Amino acid sequence: EYGVCENLRKLEITGVSCRDVYAKLLHRYRHILGLWQPDIGPYGGLLNVVVDGLFIIGWMYLPPHDPHVDDPMRFKPLFRIHLMERKCATVECMYGHKGPHNGHIQVVKKDEFSTKCNQTDHHRMSGGRQEEFRTWLREEWGRTLEDIFHEHMQELILMKFIYTSQYDNCLTYRRIYLPPSSPDDLIKPGLFKGTYGSHGLEIVMLSFHGRKAKGTKITGDPNIPAGQQTVEIDLAHPLQLPDIENLRDFSELSRIVLEVQEQVRREEQEEEQRQEEEDRSQPAASQPPAKPVGLEGAEGEETAAGAEGTTQDKASASQPFVLPMGVISRKEDYPRTCRICFYGTGLIAGHGFTSPERTPGVFVLFDDDRFGFIWLELKSFSLYSRIKVSFQNAEAPSREAFDEMLKNIQSLAT
């Protein structure tokens, strides 16, 4: 089971039997296999716990260095569990640069566990905090602080180092699932790397919910923390972009988007009025009739099949695309053709997630693995690229379980 007992030679050398491996390692720690989000304030993260031979290893996945959104993910081990003798499994902390050292794992419940380092002195460097910061900066950003000329960006980077380093790999993790897919989805749902201005690259989960598509932050920042819904795409309202010359004019794109926003508001008001009239027309003692199966999905949303066929039509024909003048993009070599665009909203907030509000924007589908979002109010563009990693033990047991997971991580972020 789990492919471990195939390596009988290793077992013979260490004197460990298949029964010991299963009982003392795999069975005991079976609940921590899969994908997890660490509780690191607004920053979050993506942990993948896998079986590797006679080890169980927790790999932290990190986005590539900003702004190289198309580069592969980076990863580093945070802990490992192994069975090298008959007594019991050994937990080792892998954090820092001095090699494995004594750690502890506690399985709180099926969908939650915690790690603790028992030798945090192994995380310290001889050069003190300055050396630790310089090393962290090279690993996290691939550059030195002198290379970063933007003062606000320097402040954000220093703030993240101070905040995250205080945990010393003593963390609580909560399970996350990959989004379930449907043949009607616009593209395959999953995890994407996205550009977020001075915050660098962040990990976003794209999922489909009837007429809506949602981008949920797996990693976050002090403005919009991990767990929050960063973008929402209205699949019932595709946008017809102007020709390439007029598209360069930001005011023209803004006019188109705001017209659709007003249309969406009218439709929502009409739906609310219709619902109120239906509620008033029903006798007080009677129960409301059951909704016809297939007409609406979760949260009163139409299913993808009923959303005017927009998600079924993959819009295979490409059209020229260029960012309007004045829109800032961290990634200058974004695709110059796209398949289709939709009206959407993006969540913005002040530092500390203050005064959050959903603002209008444009979702741009480039291909099966890349999409973008134009933040109208910020005059900013985010480019997202699919994370092409085959994660094991990460499928949701049901659509209901996935939806419940999304609600939980958002409520924790709030």
Side-chain angles (χ1 to χ4, degrees):
E1 191 169 359
Y2 299 100
V4 174
C5 290
E6 297 175 3
N7 201 336
L8 295 177
R9 187 178 63 84
K10 283 187 178 180
L11 293 176
E12 290 173 358
I13 292 173
T14 59
V16 180
S17 68
C18 287
R19 185 183 298 274
D20 287 335
V21 171
Y22 180 79
K24 298 178 181 179
L25 182 68
L26 299 180
H27 183 73
R28 180 178 178 183
Y29 292 101
R30 67 193 184 281
H31 291 313
I32 73 169
L33 300 178
L35 284 180
W36 302 84
Q37 185 183 52
D39 183 6
I40 314 179
Y43 298 105
L46 180 65
L47 181 84
N48 186 29
V49 183
V50 300
V51 175
D52 185 358
L54 299 180
F55 293 85
I56 291 177
I57 304 178
W59 295 97
M60 181 69 84
Y61 275 76
L62 307 169
H65 293 139
D66 178 64
H68 307 293
V69 69
D70 290 321
D71 285 0
M73 294 286 285
R74 300 173 294 123
F75 50 91
K76 64 179 181 180
L78 289 192
F79 63 83
R80 70 181 186 184
I81 314 167
H82 61 107
L83 194 67
M84 303 304 287
E85 55 184 30
R86 293 180 182 275
K87 293 180 181 179
C88 60
T90 300
V91 177
E92 293 177 320
C93 175
M94 305 291 287
Y95 190 78
H97 298 82
K98 296 183 178 179
H101 47 282
N102 188 25
H104 175 73
I105 287 180
Q106 180 180 3
V107 180
V108 180
K109 51 187 177 181
K110 184 179 179 182
D111 293 327
E112 184 176 319
F113 76 96
S114 62
T115 59
K116 180 182 179 182
C117 176
N118 296 329
Q119 295 176 284
T120 55
D121 57 301
H122 279 62
H123 306 168
R124 306 283 77 85
M125 290 185 170
S126 58
R129 294 288 277 176
Q130 287 188 351
E131 183 184 357
E132 292 171 18
F133 174 64
R134 286 194 297 267
T135 302
W136 175 87
L137 187 59
R138 286 195 301 269
E139 294 175 350
E140 186 85 5
W141 291 83
R143 63 184 84 173
T144 66
L145 197 63
E146 290 74 24
D147 296 330
I148 303 169
F149 302 107
H150 197 290
E151 186 175 342
H152 179 57
M153 195 171 185
Q154 290 181 348
E155 293 174 354
L156 291 172
I157 290 172
L158 183 59
M159 183 188 310
K160 184 175 182 178
F161 169 75
I162 294 172
Y163 192 97
T164 58
S165 62
Q166 67 180 331
Y167 284 88
D168 266 334
N169 209 23
C170 300
L171 297 166
T172 298
Y173 297 87
R174 295 179 178 86
R175 184 180 296 279
I176 58 176
Y177 298 116
L178 293 177
S181 60
S182 163
D184 295 321
D185 293 339
L186 187 66
I187 59 172
K188 182 181 178 181
L191 297 173
F192 290 77
K193 304 152 283 182
T195 57
Y196 279 87
S198 298
H199 296 296
L201 300 188
E202 299 184 14
I203 301 173
V204 169
M205 177 183 289
L206 179 70
S207 57
F208 292 90
H209 309 260
R211 290 177 54 180
K212 305 287 186 182
K214 300 178 180 180
T216 304
K217 281 196 173 187
I218 302 302
T219 63
D221 53 66
N223 291 84
I224 307 297
Q228 289 295 335
Q229 186 182 315
T230 176
V231 295
E232 182 176 276
I233 302 100
D234 190 338
L235 299 173
H237 290 88
L239 293 176
Q240 182 61 50
L241 296 181
D243 60 71
I244 198 69
E245 289 304 318
N246 287 324
L247 182 56
R248 296 180 187 275
D249 183 357
F250 179 81
S251 61
E252 177 63 14
L253 179 64
S254 179
R255 180 190 64 79
I256 294 172
V257 174
L258 294 180
E259 284 181 358
V260 176
Q261 181 189 42
E262 184 58 32
Q263 177 187 346
V264 170
R265 285 176 178 171
R266 289 197 302 268
E267 292 173 357
E268 290 175 346
Q269 290 175 352
E270 291 171 359
E271 177 61 24
E272 289 176 1
Q273 293 174 358
R274 184 188 66 80
Q275 189 62 50
E276 290 175 358
E277 291 173 359
E278 287 184 358
D279 292 343
R280 286 196 299 267
S281 65
Q282 291 177 2
S286 67
Q287 295 293 326
K291 294 178 180 179
V293 177
L295 288 184
E296 293 191 353
E299 303 176 357
E301 298 172 347
E302 294 180 19
T303 62
E308 301 177 3
T310 54
T311 56
Q312 293 180 3
D313 180 7
K314 306 304 184 192
S316 56
S318 62
Q319 56 183 311
F321 176 81
V322 66
L323 286 176
M325 296 293 292
V327 174
I328 301 171
S329 175
R330 294 285 295 173
K331 182 75 171 174
E332 294 298 331
D333 56 340
Y334 59 87
R336 292 309 198 265
T337 60
C338 68
R339 290 183 182 177
I340 193 170
C341 299
F342 292 93
Y343 169 78
T345 57
L347 185 62
I348 64 174
H351 189 87
F353 197 49
T354 55
S355 306
E357 61 174 320
R358 303 213 68 87
T359 59
V362 181
F363 171 85
V364 186
L365 178 63
F366 294 113
D367 51 45
D368 289 340
D369 297 322
R370 291 178 298 178
F371 65 87
F373 192 84
I374 300 175
W375 307 75
L376 213 62
E377 187 166 322
L378 301 178
K379 283 193 173 182
S380 177
F381 174 72
S382 292
L383 178 63
Y384 302 82
S385 179
R386 185 181 299 278
I387 296 175
K388 297 178 181 179
V389 178
S390 297
F391 295 109
Q392 303 297 318
N393 303 296
E395 301 300 325
S398 65
R399 162 62 72 170
E400 292 73 22
F402 176 78
D403 291 340
E404 185 66 24
M405 182 267 313
L406 279 187
K407 290 179 182 178
N408 287 340
I409 64 174
Q410 184 171 357
S411 62
L412 291 169
T414 306

